[in-house]
Amino acid sequence: MLDTSRVQKELAEGNRDTETSGVSIALHDGADLTHLSGTITGPVGTPYEGGVFVIDIRLPSGYPFEPPKMQFVTRVWHPNISSQNGAICLDILKDQWSPALTLKTALLSLQALLSAPAPDDPQDAVVAQQYLRDYQKFVGTARHWTETFAKSASVGMDEKVKKLVEMGFPEDAVRAVLEATKGDENMALEKLCSG
Amino acid sequence: MADDVDSPSSSEVEGTEDRYFYLSDQEDDIAENVLQDLEDGQQEDCSWSVSSVITKESLLAAQKVDLRKVMELLALSEHNARTLLIHYRWDVERVFELLEQKGKDRLFSEAGLTIVENKMIDLSSCCDPFTCSICFEEVSPTAVTEMDCGHYYCNECWTEHFIVKINDGQSRRIRCMAPKCNAICDEAIVRSLVSTRHPDIADRFERFLLESYIEDNNKVKWCPSVPHCGNAIRVVGDIYCELECICGKQFCFSCLSEAHSPCSCIMWERWKKKCHDESETVN
Ligand SMILES: [Zn+2]
Ligand SMILES: [Zn+2]
Ligand SMILES: [Zn+2]
Ligand SMILES: [Zn+2]
């Protein structure tokens, strides 16, 4: 049985200092305590700086005695994160998990992982190879991916597009307007209605 | 092909990895020890090593003998002695050797044994409710348990942790819940907390601990009889030997196939594979 009271406390506690910690946790769709969504900001001085990375969090019924399942939703170029599906290679999400760790400490560990890749124990062999053989190129690709997928304008872009398309606007127009408003849904809606 | 398999002379075998005719100097001493340890086990004397059958009933006794030796020499509790022996694969001689070489502290720490002399806080004397850092609930100090390493959490959380680990087949080394703490949980605490809520899981824990004596032990193996007779065989001396279990099963201790002397295990395996392949092509 999932310890719901602990999860609720974690949600409250986890968001207390979002500004300084750079991590936040929220319910994914309002009611289901087993499906959460976390965000981390890219660490300063890394190719991920300026990006906001969304992480899908699933809690097994044995949580916190079993580790949470975490996966990057935002695409990221990093040796320990799959560039294909966002799967993460990190010991504390596997055998080094401890029930005394929390979702917040796990997200902070992911943030630390962005700062300190471990290419010798890779999740994505292609990225790891590039990291070891051509570091400059790696930094370039990682920065480009951050710009493309993790900047505020692009965060949740697909969901915003979907929402507006469902309201009856053509997808091409929606994408163009969202781009112009840097992802601001309300401004985009206004423009679409007025124009 | 038959040349490979037909009885090699002892001189041919010498110097290869198959030490069939090796005789230990200390064999007599070892044999005596075994006789003392396992009075209820039947003795089977191969010419180069000594083996004894450990029946289901004597398994616990055999394990206790080894535990007691370590408990006495190192002044340890049963649980700590077991942790040490599981780590060193129930090789008591090796534990004593390493104690000489490395000293107590390293011997203990490498096996995940932490013994805190002065406990951090005295839980029984503080009367404020305590907040468990795992479930975040306030609990009375009487419902809190501290492990040898000094980490303490509420009993509910410990119990849940133990159950997850036992169900996961990790009974032999249930680590403390604190991050990066390698201490192994006291089996007496595991037993008492789990059995109050789930006696069936506590039984399983007990069985796993017992079986560790065989499965984590290089010198003891289950008899390969099918259906299984329930016995295990312990060998002292050379592990390349053939023996017979009290159920009548004769086998090679090293590879667990049927007795195949004077052929080596590798040669025997190749021979069996060849026969198998040939029968496949015939069909
Ligand atoms: Zn607790
Ligand atoms: Zn501990
Ligand atoms: Zn048998
Ligand atoms: Zn053999």
Side-chain angles (χ1 to χ4, degrees):
Chain A
M1 268 306 293
L2 181 68
D3 184 346
T4 52
S5 119
R6 160 155 164 163
V7 177
Q8 261 147 0
K9 282 177 186 149
E10 275 203 62
L11 281 167
E13 170 63 25
N15 293 317
R16 245 186 15 187
D17 57 349
T18 299
E19 286 294 301
T20 49
S21 69
V23 311
S24 73
I25 314 160
L27 288 172
H28 185 79
D29 57 10
D32 184 1
L33 273 177
T34 68
H35 193 185
L36 312 173
S37 180
T39 64
I40 58 176
T41 54
V44 177
T46 70
Y48 311 103
E49 182 174 350
V52 175
F53 299 84
V54 179
I55 288 130
D56 186 70
I57 306 171
R58 304 262 176 181
L59 301 182
S61 63
Y63 181 83
F65 302 96
E66 290 169 23
K69 294 186 170 65
M70 294 193 174
Q71 201 162 355
F72 275 80
V73 176
T74 308
R75 298 186 69 191
V76 54
W77 191 254
H78 185 287
N80 307 101
I81 301 157
S82 165
S83 59
Q84 305 292 315
N85 61 19
I88 304 162
C89 177
L90 183 64
D91 58 353
I92 63 144
L93 294 179
K94 291 169 188 158
D95 57 331
Q96 292 302 308
W97 170 256
S98 146
L101 296 173
T102 61
L103 296 173
K104 184 175 172 177
T105 51
L107 289 173
L108 288 169
S109 302
L110 288 181
Q111 209 177 31
L113 185 67
L114 290 183
S115 300
D120 296 331
D121 185 20
Q123 174 74 39
D124 194 306
V126 176
V127 184
Q129 289 258 339
Q130 193 192 53
Y131 182 94
L132 293 169
R133 288 191 185 157
D134 190 349
Y135 183 72
Q136 283 316 312
K137 201 167 166 199
F138 161 78
V139 170
T141 316
R143 194 167 283 145
H144 177 69
W145 278 46
T146 305
E147 292 297 328
T148 314
F149 303 116
K151 285 293 165 81
S152 57
S154 49
V155 169
M157 190 59 108
D158 285 344
E159 264 176 40
K160 289 174 192 165
V161 169
K162 199 174 145 217
K163 224 189 276 174
L164 291 169
V165 168
E166 275 169 5
M167 290 166 97
F169 300 106
E171 188 172 334
D172 289 351
V174 168
R175 284 199 185 274
V177 171
L178 274 172
E179 199 121 314
T181 60
K182 293 200 172 1
D184 188 316
E185 281 172 283
N186 294 326
M187 261 164 68
L189 184 58
E190 229 165 80
K191 280 201 172 189
L192 284 165
C193 290
S194 66
Chain B
M1 190 64 221
D3 286 357
D4 285 343
V5 189
D6 274 345
S7 50
S9 73
S10 62
S11 61
E12 276 169 344
V13 173
E14 239 170 23
T16 71
E17 56 190 302
D18 315 298
R19 298 172 299 153
Y20 276 98
F21 304 93
Y22 167 75
L23 272 160
S24 161
D25 293 336
Q26 294 140 8
E27 197 182 305
D28 288 346
D29 295 345
I30 295 165
E32 255 177 48
N33 287 338
V34 172
L35 281 165
Q36 278 173 357
D37 293 354
L38 291 155
E39 287 139 335
D40 46 353
Q42 184 197 311
Q43 302 296 318
E44 166 104 2
D45 200 338
C46 309
S47 58
W48 50 85
S49 47
V50 184
S51 68
S52 51
V53 175
I54 305 173
T55 60
K56 224 180 291 175
E57 295 71 33
S58 64
L59 182 55
L60 191 62
Q63 194 179 31
K64 282 254 149 78
V65 168
D66 284 348
L67 282 170
R68 209 166 307 131
K69 279 191 213 156
V70 170
M71 285 162 70
E72 275 166 19
L73 187 92
L74 292 162
L76 286 175
S77 67
E78 182 168 333
H79 129 75
N80 283 329
R82 192 191 308 272
T83 301
L84 205 62
L85 280 168
I86 289 177
H87 183 81
Y88 296 108
R89 301 193 64 82
W90 292 95
D91 192 336
V92 180
E93 268 71 50
R94 176 117 187 94
V95 168
F96 293 170
E97 244 174 66
L98 289 172
L99 176 67
E100 295 267 299
Q101 288 168 16
K102 302 185 168 186
K104 214 173 184 171
D105 290 350
R106 268 188 64 198
L107 184 77
F108 285 7
S109 68
E110 281 172 17
L113 219 85
T114 355
I115 295 157
V116 176
E117 306 284 341
N118 302 308
K119 297 216 168 171
M120 315 276 276
I121 54 158
D122 190 356
L123 291 165
S124 52
S125 72
C126 77
C127 42
D128 295 337
F130 151 92
T131 304
C132 170
S133 57
I134 286 177
C135 57
F136 301 158
E137 300 289 341
E138 276 198 355
V139 282
S140 111
T142 55
V144 172
T145 298
E146 181 179 7
M147 281 300 153
D148 288 344
C149 53
H151 294 121
Y152 46 89
Y153 301 102
C154 85
N155 291 344
E156 292 283 315
C157 284
W158 279 122
T159 310
E160 207 54 51
H161 175 64
F162 297 152
I163 289 171
V164 166
K165 293 296 173 192
I166 295 168
N167 285 339
D168 207 23
Q170 295 182 33
S171 299
R172 289 157 203 173
R173 296 175 59 83
I174 301 183
R175 285 204 345 239
C176 167
M177 289 195 283
K180 301 208 168 98
C181 179
N182 283 322
I184 307 299
C185 295
D186 187 331
E187 65 188 53
I189 297 177
V190 177
R191 196 174 285 133
S192 82
L193 285 180
V194 173
S195 62
T196 49
R197 267 183 42 199
H198 296 277
D200 53 321
I201 297 177
D203 284 351
R204 214 147 98 221
F205 173 68
E206 226 55 70
R207 207 172 58 237
F208 279 138
L209 283 189
L210 204 56
E211 287 175 354
S212 135
Y213 186 66
I214 291 167
E215 278 149 24
D216 300 330
N217 194 326
N218 293 340
K219 299 258 172 186
V220 178
K221 283 182 183 171
W222 291 114
C223 166
S225 54
V226 182
H228 188 220
C229 63
N231 298 331
I233 316 286
R234 183 210 312 247
V235 161
V236 174
D238 199 339
I239 62 157
Y240 295 93
C241 69
E242 280 167 4
L243 34 84
E244 183 175 336
C245 175
I246 46 173
C247 74
K249 175 83 180 173
Q250 291 180 330
F251 62 100
C252 162
F253 186 79
S254 172
C255 70
L256 294 179
S257 11
E258 60 268 51
H260 54 68
S261 70
C263 174
S264 74
C265 296
I266 294 168
M267 270 155 60
W268 184 247
E269 198 194 311
R270 284 197 196 135
W271 172 248
K272 276 201 304 191
K273 186 172 179 302
K274 185 175 152 53
C275 293
H276 178 78
D277 291 350
E278 273 170 6
S279 73
E280 294 249 295
T281 36
V282 167
N283 290 330

PDB file of all heavy atoms in Angstrom, chain B residues 53 222-233 244-251, ligand 3:
ATOM      1  N   VAL B  53      27.637 -35.784   5.432  1.00  0.00           N
ATOM      2  CA  VAL B  53      26.285 -35.434   5.010  1.00  0.00           C
ATOM      3  C   VAL B  53      25.632 -34.601   6.102  1.00  0.00           C
ATOM      4  O   VAL B  53      25.716 -34.926   7.279  1.00  0.00           O
ATOM      5  CB  VAL B  53      25.461 -36.714   4.761  1.00  0.00           C
ATOM      6  CG1 VAL B  53      24.012 -36.357   4.437  1.00  0.00           C
ATOM      7  CG2 VAL B  53      26.085 -37.521   3.640  1.00  0.00           C
ATOM      8  N   TRP B 222      24.208 -28.664  -1.889  1.00  0.00           N
ATOM      9  CA  TRP B 222      23.026 -29.529  -1.820  1.00  0.00           C
ATOM     10  C   TRP B 222      23.320 -30.802  -2.597  1.00  0.00           C
ATOM     11  O   TRP B 222      23.953 -30.768  -3.646  1.00  0.00           O
ATOM     12  CB  TRP B 222      21.814 -28.847  -2.464  1.00  0.00           C
ATOM     13  CG  TRP B 222      21.260 -27.679  -1.732  1.00  0.00           C
ATOM     14  CD1 TRP B 222      21.261 -26.383  -2.155  1.00  0.00           C
ATOM     15  CD2 TRP B 222      20.591 -27.685  -0.462  1.00  0.00           C
ATOM     16  NE1 TRP B 222      20.641 -25.581  -1.225  1.00  0.00           N
ATOM     17  CE2 TRP B 222      20.224 -26.349  -0.178  1.00  0.00           C
ATOM     18  CE3 TRP B 222      20.271 -28.674   0.460  1.00  0.00           C
ATOM     19  CZ2 TRP B 222      19.553 -25.985   0.984  1.00  0.00           C
ATOM     20  CZ3 TRP B 222      19.598 -28.304   1.622  1.00  0.00           C
ATOM     21  CH2 TRP B 222      19.252 -26.980   1.871  1.00  0.00           C
ATOM     22  N   CYS B 223      22.816 -31.929  -2.109  1.00  0.00           N
ATOM     23  CA  CYS B 223      22.891 -33.181  -2.865  1.00  0.00           C
ATOM     24  C   CYS B 223      22.085 -32.982  -4.150  1.00  0.00           C
ATOM     25  O   CYS B 223      20.995 -32.445  -4.117  1.00  0.00           O
ATOM     26  CB  CYS B 223      22.298 -34.317  -2.030  1.00  0.00           C
ATOM     27  SG  CYS B 223      21.967 -35.813  -2.971  1.00  0.00           S
ATOM     28  N   PRO B 224      22.639 -33.387  -5.319  1.00  0.00           N
ATOM     29  CA  PRO B 224      21.938 -33.124  -6.581  1.00  0.00           C
ATOM     30  C   PRO B 224      20.820 -34.123  -6.900  1.00  0.00           C
ATOM     31  O   PRO B 224      20.340 -34.140  -8.029  1.00  0.00           O
ATOM     32  CB  PRO B 224      23.070 -33.201  -7.615  1.00  0.00           C
ATOM     33  CG  PRO B 224      24.053 -34.138  -7.029  1.00  0.00           C
ATOM     34  CD  PRO B 224      23.970 -33.996  -5.531  1.00  0.00           C
ATOM     35  N   SER B 225      20.400 -34.940  -5.936  1.00  0.00           N
ATOM     36  CA  SER B 225      19.372 -35.943  -6.228  1.00  0.00           C
ATOM     37  C   SER B 225      18.057 -35.295  -6.663  1.00  0.00           C
ATOM     38  O   SER B 225      17.715 -34.214  -6.210  1.00  0.00           O
ATOM     39  CB  SER B 225      19.128 -36.812  -4.985  1.00  0.00           C
ATOM     40  OG  SER B 225      18.817 -35.989  -3.880  1.00  0.00           O
ATOM     41  N   VAL B 226      17.366 -35.980  -7.592  1.00  0.00           N
ATOM     42  CA  VAL B 226      16.052 -35.512  -8.038  1.00  0.00           C
ATOM     43  C   VAL B 226      15.063 -36.654  -7.869  1.00  0.00           C
ATOM     44  O   VAL B 226      15.290 -37.724  -8.442  1.00  0.00           O
ATOM     45  CB  VAL B 226      16.091 -35.094  -9.526  1.00  0.00           C
ATOM     46  CG1 VAL B 226      14.731 -34.569  -9.953  1.00  0.00           C
ATOM     47  CG2 VAL B 226      17.168 -34.057  -9.773  1.00  0.00           C
ATOM     48  N   PRO B 227      13.951 -36.525  -7.145  1.00  0.00           N
ATOM     49  CA  PRO B 227      13.624 -35.364  -6.310  1.00  0.00           C
ATOM     50  C   PRO B 227      14.620 -35.200  -5.164  1.00  0.00           C
ATOM     51  O   PRO B 227      15.240 -36.167  -4.753  1.00  0.00           O
ATOM     52  CB  PRO B 227      12.233 -35.716  -5.783  1.00  0.00           C
ATOM     53  CG  PRO B 227      12.166 -37.202  -5.840  1.00  0.00           C
ATOM     54  CD  PRO B 227      12.977 -37.603  -7.018  1.00  0.00           C
ATOM     55  N   HIS B 228      14.750 -33.987  -4.689  1.00  0.00           N
ATOM     56  CA  HIS B 228      15.796 -33.672  -3.728  1.00  0.00           C
ATOM     57  C   HIS B 228      15.574 -34.384  -2.391  1.00  0.00           C
ATOM     58  O   HIS B 228      14.480 -34.338  -1.846  1.00  0.00           O
ATOM     59  CB  HIS B 228      15.846 -32.152  -3.521  1.00  0.00           C
ATOM     60  CG  HIS B 228      17.011 -31.726  -2.695  1.00  0.00           C
ATOM     61  ND1 HIS B 228      16.923 -30.746  -1.741  1.00  0.00           N
ATOM     62  CD2 HIS B 228      18.287 -32.164  -2.677  1.00  0.00           C
ATOM     63  CE1 HIS B 228      18.103 -30.601  -1.176  1.00  0.00           C
ATOM     64  NE2 HIS B 228      18.944 -31.433  -1.736  1.00  0.00           N
ATOM     65  N   CYS B 229      16.670 -35.032  -1.901  1.00  0.00           N
ATOM     66  CA  CYS B 229      16.561 -35.779  -0.647  1.00  0.00           C
ATOM     67  C   CYS B 229      16.580 -34.852   0.569  1.00  0.00           C
ATOM     68  O   CYS B 229      16.322 -35.290   1.682  1.00  0.00           O
ATOM     69  CB  CYS B 229      17.714 -36.774  -0.551  1.00  0.00           C
ATOM     70  SG  CYS B 229      19.323 -35.956  -0.497  1.00  0.00           S
ATOM     71  N   GLY B 230      16.914 -33.581   0.388  1.00  0.00           N
ATOM     72  CA  GLY B 230      16.919 -32.638   1.503  1.00  0.00           C
ATOM     73  C   GLY B 230      18.273 -32.529   2.182  1.00  0.00           C
ATOM     74  O   GLY B 230      18.457 -31.711   3.066  1.00  0.00           O
ATOM     75  N   ASN B 231      19.236 -33.340   1.749  1.00  0.00           N
ATOM     76  CA  ASN B 231      20.541 -33.319   2.406  1.00  0.00           C
ATOM     77  C   ASN B 231      21.531 -32.407   1.699  1.00  0.00           C
ATOM     78  O   ASN B 231      21.389 -32.113   0.519  1.00  0.00           O
ATOM     79  CB  ASN B 231      21.134 -34.726   2.423  1.00  0.00           C
ATOM     80  CG  ASN B 231      20.283 -35.694   3.206  1.00  0.00           C
ATOM     81  OD1 ASN B 231      19.583 -35.290   4.143  1.00  0.00           O
ATOM     82  ND2 ASN B 231      20.318 -36.948   2.816  1.00  0.00           N
ATOM     83  N   ALA B 232      22.529 -32.014   2.474  1.00  0.00           N
ATOM     84  CA  ALA B 232      23.649 -31.270   1.905  1.00  0.00           C
ATOM     85  C   ALA B 232      24.928 -32.017   2.266  1.00  0.00           C
ATOM     86  O   ALA B 232      24.942 -32.804   3.202  1.00  0.00           O
ATOM     87  CB  ALA B 232      23.679 -29.866   2.467  1.00  0.00           C
ATOM     88  N   ILE B 233      25.968 -31.776   1.509  1.00  0.00           N
ATOM     89  CA  ILE B 233      27.241 -32.457   1.756  1.00  0.00           C
ATOM     90  C   ILE B 233      28.309 -31.417   2.027  1.00  0.00           C
ATOM     91  O   ILE B 233      28.420 -30.433   1.284  1.00  0.00           O
ATOM     92  CB  ILE B 233      27.692 -33.268   0.509  1.00  0.00           C
ATOM     93  CG1 ILE B 233      26.533 -34.035  -0.105  1.00  0.00           C
ATOM     94  CG2 ILE B 233      28.879 -34.150   0.845  1.00  0.00           C
ATOM     95  CD1 ILE B 233      26.091 -35.241   0.646  1.00  0.00           C
ATOM     96  N   GLU B 244      29.146 -40.097  -1.975  1.00  0.00           N
ATOM     97  CA  GLU B 244      27.817 -40.684  -2.013  1.00  0.00           C
ATOM     98  C   GLU B 244      27.016 -40.132  -0.854  1.00  0.00           C
ATOM     99  O   GLU B 244      27.445 -40.136   0.287  1.00  0.00           O
ATOM    100  CB  GLU B 244      27.923 -42.214  -1.893  1.00  0.00           C
ATOM    101  CG  GLU B 244      26.568 -42.894  -1.993  1.00  0.00           C
ATOM    102  CD  GLU B 244      26.676 -44.424  -1.987  1.00  0.00           C
ATOM    103  OE1 GLU B 244      27.749 -44.953  -2.348  1.00  0.00           O
ATOM    104  OE2 GLU B 244      25.687 -45.067  -1.611  1.00  0.00           O
ATOM    105  N   CYS B 245      25.852 -39.637  -1.172  1.00  0.00           N
ATOM    106  CA  CYS B 245      24.950 -39.119  -0.155  1.00  0.00           C
ATOM    107  C   CYS B 245      24.268 -40.297   0.531  1.00  0.00           C
ATOM    108  O   CYS B 245      24.212 -41.396  -0.028  1.00  0.00           O
ATOM    109  CB  CYS B 245      23.918 -38.221  -0.831  1.00  0.00           C
ATOM    110  SG  CYS B 245      22.643 -37.613   0.284  1.00  0.00           S
ATOM    111  N   ILE B 246      23.729 -40.088   1.714  1.00  0.00           N
ATOM    112  CA  ILE B 246      23.049 -41.204   2.383  1.00  0.00           C
ATOM    113  C   ILE B 246      21.791 -41.638   1.634  1.00  0.00           C
ATOM    114  O   ILE B 246      21.253 -42.694   1.874  1.00  0.00           O
ATOM    115  CB  ILE B 246      22.709 -40.909   3.870  1.00  0.00           C
ATOM    116  CG1 ILE B 246      22.100 -39.523   4.011  1.00  0.00           C
ATOM    117  CG2 ILE B 246      23.928 -41.076   4.752  1.00  0.00           C
ATOM    118  CD1 ILE B 246      21.587 -39.239   5.417  1.00  0.00           C
ATOM    119  N   CYS B 247      21.325 -40.806   0.693  1.00  0.00           N
ATOM    120  CA  CYS B 247      20.171 -41.211  -0.123  1.00  0.00           C
ATOM    121  C   CYS B 247      20.584 -42.176  -1.217  1.00  0.00           C
ATOM    122  O   CYS B 247      19.749 -42.705  -1.937  1.00  0.00           O
ATOM    123  CB  CYS B 247      19.482 -39.998  -0.725  1.00  0.00           C
ATOM    124  SG  CYS B 247      20.399 -39.239  -2.078  1.00  0.00           S
ATOM    125  N   GLY B 248      21.900 -42.378  -1.376  1.00  0.00           N
ATOM    126  CA  GLY B 248      22.371 -43.327  -2.385  1.00  0.00           C
ATOM    127  C   GLY B 248      22.918 -42.658  -3.632  1.00  0.00           C
ATOM    128  O   GLY B 248      23.561 -43.294  -4.453  1.00  0.00           O
ATOM    129  N   LYS B 249      22.688 -41.349  -3.781  1.00  0.00           N
ATOM    130  CA  LYS B 249      23.145 -40.634  -4.968  1.00  0.00           C
ATOM    131  C   LYS B 249      24.668 -40.500  -4.933  1.00  0.00           C
ATOM    132  O   LYS B 249      25.235 -40.033  -3.947  1.00  0.00           O
ATOM    133  CB  LYS B 249      22.495 -39.252  -4.987  1.00  0.00           C
ATOM    134  CG  LYS B 249      22.967 -38.337  -6.098  1.00  0.00           C
ATOM    135  CD  LYS B 249      22.252 -38.610  -7.397  1.00  0.00           C
ATOM    136  CE  LYS B 249      22.753 -37.676  -8.495  1.00  0.00           C
ATOM    137  NZ  LYS B 249      22.183 -38.041  -9.804  1.00  0.00           N
ATOM    138  N   GLN B 250      25.309 -40.934  -6.026  1.00  0.00           N
ATOM    139  CA  GLN B 250      26.759 -40.768  -6.131  1.00  0.00           C
ATOM    140  C   GLN B 250      27.025 -39.629  -7.100  1.00  0.00           C
ATOM    141  O   GLN B 250      26.422 -39.587  -8.167  1.00  0.00           O
ATOM    142  CB  GLN B 250      27.406 -42.041  -6.665  1.00  0.00           C
ATOM    143  CG  GLN B 250      27.347 -43.182  -5.669  1.00  0.00           C
ATOM    144  CD  GLN B 250      28.005 -44.435  -6.217  1.00  0.00           C
ATOM    145  OE1 GLN B 250      28.008 -44.666  -7.424  1.00  0.00           O
ATOM    146  NE2 GLN B 250      28.561 -45.236  -5.323  1.00  0.00           N
ATOM    147  N   PHE B 251      27.903 -38.731  -6.735  1.00  0.00           N
ATOM    148  CA  PHE B 251      28.158 -37.601  -7.637  1.00  0.00           C
ATOM    149  C   PHE B 251      29.529 -36.984  -7.407  1.00  0.00           C
ATOM    150  O   PHE B 251      30.207 -37.271  -6.426  1.00  0.00           O
ATOM    151  CB  PHE B 251      27.071 -36.532  -7.484  1.00  0.00           C
ATOM    152  CG  PHE B 251      26.992 -35.911  -6.113  1.00  0.00           C
ATOM    153  CD1 PHE B 251      27.565 -34.666  -5.871  1.00  0.00           C
ATOM    154  CD2 PHE B 251      26.341 -36.552  -5.072  1.00  0.00           C
ATOM    155  CE1 PHE B 251      27.494 -34.086  -4.618  1.00  0.00           C
ATOM    156  CE2 PHE B 251      26.269 -35.973  -3.811  1.00  0.00           C
ATOM    157  CZ  PHE B 251      26.841 -34.732  -3.586  1.00  0.00           C
TER     158      PHE B 251
HETATM  159 ZN    ZN C   3      21.005 -37.108  -1.269  1.00  0.00          ZN
END
